[in-house]
Amino acid sequence: MSEIDTATAARVAQLARIRVDDDALPALAEEFGAILGFIEQLQEVDVEGVEPMVSVTPMRLKRRADEVTDGGMADTVLSNAPDAREGFFAVPKVVE
């Protein structure tokens, strides 16, 4: 298992915008260490020749033609706008 100190756990929590009390930091550091240990364990698995999967069941993704369209419903979309002019959303000016 990888060792993570409480200062590193506090930094990760800060970066993730997660409020963690000081008394909970040792447990969080231990959880992070367990996660990193699991990742290290996964790196030992031989995946040579294994094809990447989309799903656990063999299937092909549905495909459609790659065509550029206007969506065919501009009037419907613009009907939800508080202010629409000449086929576009009208928004307040924010830069002088």
Side-chain angles (χ1 to χ4, degrees):
M1 179 167 69
S2 297
E3 292 293 322
I4 301 292
D5 61 6
T6 55
T8 303
R11 179 70 175 143
V12 171
Q14 177 191 15
L15 291 171
R17 306 278 196 259
I18 300 170
R19 184 179 307 141
V20 178
D21 295 329
D22 289 339
D23 58 332
L25 282 174
L28 182 64
E30 189 175 320
E31 286 183 46
F32 284 159
I35 291 167
L36 290 175
F38 182 68
I39 292 170
E40 288 172 1
Q41 194 177 12
L42 286 176
Q43 289 177 339
E44 296 173 7
V45 176
D46 180 18
V47 294
E48 189 69 32
V50 177
E51 291 292 322
M53 297 185 341
V54 175
S55 172
V56 294
T57 58
M59 59 187 286
R60 290 196 48 89
L61 294 175
K62 295 180 183 175
R63 300 185 187 266
R64 60 179 169 84
D66 189 13
E67 299 172 354
V68 177
T69 67
D70 66 356
M73 57 180 165
D75 293 333
T76 306
V77 172
L78 289 174
S79 70
N80 294 316
D83 188 7
R85 299 181 197 155
E86 300 176 21
F88 297 97
F89 288 97
V91 296
K93 185 176 182 179
V94 292
V95 179
E96 293 293 327

